[in-house]
């Protein structure tokens, strides 16, 4: 599903959105939210309009194919210029981009982020190198340095003593989590691979956190379901097989204390989450869990544009 954006200069962005939504109410399905965000839905696709500062209006169009995209662009542009004729607005759309081709984080921004957070120490640097050497292309499953720093900071901010991780791989994230726990803290680490976790065990020892980590080899869903039903954890990190994310989430939330935090990784799926053209089990499961979290009255949540998308859900 291609997408396109436009940024329009106007002295009255909120008023323009309100007028356009009202103007099109008989020709399209329209919605105006409390934050002045307008949505125009047509059979061919959808346009979302958002105030961007005092003098700008941002528009995002998504449609099933390039021809449908062009029709939605033309429809929205014609009517926007019609209601804003005295202001002499100009609308220039970007070239269409497929969902998996979205530049989620510009390389320049990504590099700046990595060089402006607490640097990885020798243990984590060596672990990242050992993972690249052993796993080759699969090393992309390892979280980046800044996400590791974020996990450690979140553990400390929550004041966590008891944590669970679903998806260990070679142990980068579990090392960051375990280090942030107090000396008597405990991390339940769930994975199915003895090969990759053998690397993790080596670096847990080097990091001095092996005694805080209880590694369970086997399907994580079975491990979670075998746990006591009462509140058990202060912090949880989910970064494993995507089709099981909804099940992992549903098993973990009841076991979180009030104020506890669950973190879900890879909620963007390289941009495929945003594009309904992608319908494999990974994207379907991530869209499902994203909706579950958003509608879950048990938590308050925020989705962050960190790496491949990270959701934080705090239990009420």
């Amino acid at each position: 599903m291609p997408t396109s954006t436009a940024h329009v200069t106007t002295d009255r962005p909120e008023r323009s959105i309100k007028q356009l939504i009202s103007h099109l109410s008989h020709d399209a399905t329209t919605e105006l939210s409390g934050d002045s965000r307008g949505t125009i839905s047509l059979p061919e696709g959808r346009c979302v309009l958002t105030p961007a500062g005092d003098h700008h209006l941002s528009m995002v169009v998504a449609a099933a194919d390039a021809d449908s995209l062009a029709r939605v662009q033309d429809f929205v542009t014609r009517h926007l210029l019609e209601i804003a004729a005295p202001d002499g607005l100009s609308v220039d759309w970007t070239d269409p981009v497929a969902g998996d081709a979205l530049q989620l984080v510009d390389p320049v921004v990504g590099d700046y982020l990595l060089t402006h957070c607490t640097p990885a120490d020798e243990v984590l640097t060596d672990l990242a190198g050992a993972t690249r050497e052993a796993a080759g292309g699969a090393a992309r499953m390892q979280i980046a340095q800044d996400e590791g720093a974020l996990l450690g900071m979140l553990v400390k901010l929550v004041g966590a003593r008891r944590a669970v991780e679903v998806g260990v791989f070679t142990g980068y994230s579990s090392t960051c989590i375990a280090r942030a726990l107090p000396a008597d803290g405990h991390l339940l680490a769930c994975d199915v691979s003895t090969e990759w976790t053998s690397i993790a065990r080596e670096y847990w020892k080097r990091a001095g956190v092996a005694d805080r980590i209880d590694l369970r080899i086997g399907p994580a869903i079975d491990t979670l379901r075998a746990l006591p039903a009462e509140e058990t954890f202060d912090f949880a990190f989910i970064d494993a097989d995507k089709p099981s994310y909804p099940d992992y989430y549903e098993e973990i939330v009841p076991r979180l204390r009030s104020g506890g935090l669950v973190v879900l990784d890879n909620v963007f799926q390289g941009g495929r989450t945003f594009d309904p053209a992608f319908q494999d089990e990974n994207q379907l499961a991530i869209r499902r869990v994203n909706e579950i979290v958003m509608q879950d009255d048990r938590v308050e949540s925020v989705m962050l544009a960190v790496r491949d998308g990270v959701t934080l859900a705090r239990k009420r």
Side-chain angles (χ1 to χ4, degrees):
M1 174 176 281
T3 64
S4 178
T5 62
H7 297 281
V8 180
T9 301
T10 172
D11 289 333
R12 47 178 196 170
E14 295 186 6
R15 182 181 176 188
S16 294
I17 293 173
K18 185 179 295 186
Q19 285 183 319
L20 184 60
I21 293 299
S22 176
H23 179 72
L24 294 177
S25 59
H26 298 297
D27 299 309
T29 301
T30 60
E31 180 183 355
L32 184 66
S33 65
D35 59 357
S36 298
R37 182 174 180 267
T39 303
I40 301 167
S41 298
L42 299 164
E44 296 90 345
R46 186 176 74 156
C47 178
V48 178
L49 305 94
T50 309
D54 294 335
H55 303 291
H56 291 89
L57 166 63
S58 173
M59 300 192 292
V60 179
V61 166
D65 52 51
D67 289 340
S68 297
L69 186 79
R71 288 195 292 272
V72 177
Q73 288 174 321
D74 178 68
F75 177 85
V76 173
T77 300
R78 282 190 294 106
H79 287 282
L80 178 62
L81 295 181
E82 181 180 330
I83 67 165
D87 297 332
L89 299 186
S90 174
V91 179
D92 296 309
W93 295 96
T94 61
D95 292 335
V97 178
D100 63 336
L102 290 173
Q103 191 85 345
L104 299 177
V105 178
D106 187 280
V108 174
V109 176
D111 179 70
Y112 193 82
L113 293 175
L114 285 175
T115 55
H116 288 81
C117 67
T118 301
D121 66 359
E122 183 178 356
V123 173
L124 290 175
T125 301
D126 289 351
L127 173 53
T131 301
R132 289 192 298 271
E133 183 177 345
R140 67 183 182 279
M141 294 192 295
Q142 184 177 76
I143 66 169
Q145 168 195 328
D146 54 342
E147 189 173 351
L150 174 63
L151 289 176
M153 185 174 293
L154 291 172
V155 170
K156 292 176 181 177
L157 290 173
V158 170
R161 301 175 65 85
R162 303 160 299 171
V164 59
E165 176 180 62
V166 180
V168 175
F169 191 39
T170 59
Y172 196 104
S173 54
S174 50
T175 301
C176 295
I177 294 169
R179 277 179 160 177
L181 295 170
D184 61 348
H186 177 266
L187 170 63
L188 174 62
C190 307
D191 206 284
V192 294
S193 172
T194 55
E195 177 186 4
W196 298 131
T197 56
S198 65
I199 298 175
R201 287 183 184 277
E202 175 186 346
Y203 283 88
W204 292 339
K205 291 178 182 176
R206 281 190 56 184
V209 296
D211 60 337
R212 302 179 193 176
I213 301 175
D214 176 13
L215 175 64
R216 305 279 183 91
I217 298 295
I221 196 64
D222 294 342
T223 299
L224 295 173
R225 287 173 177 164
L227 295 172
E230 63 268 15
E231 295 178 355
T232 306
F233 301 112
D234 308 302
F235 183 87
F237 181 50
I238 302 175
D239 183 17
D241 58 301
K242 309 315 170 195
S244 297
Y245 265 42
D247 293 333
Y248 295 147
Y249 177 81
E250 292 294 356
E251 291 298 326
I252 286 172
V253 170
R255 294 175 169 86
L256 276 179
R257 67 162 168 83
S258 177
L261 189 69
V262 56
V263 181
L264 299 92
D265 199 16
N266 303 121
V267 295
F268 290 170
Q269 289 289 283
R272 291 175 175 84
T273 297
F274 317 137
D275 192 338
F278 292 92
Q279 292 288 324
D280 78 14
E281 59 178 354
N282 288 345
Q283 285 96 54
L284 292 174
I286 291 299
R287 291 187 193 115
R288 181 183 167 206
V289 79
N290 288 347
E291 293 298 319
I292 289 172
V293 174
M294 180 188 69
Q295 298 174 18
D296 190 352
D297 292 337
R298 298 170 297 177
V299 304
E300 50 189 357
S301 66
V302 60
M303 186 178 288
L304 305 177
V306 174
R307 296 302 155 188
D308 191 30
V310 173
T311 292
L312 312 182
R314 180 184 179 272
K315 192 171 181 180
R316 297 182 188 274

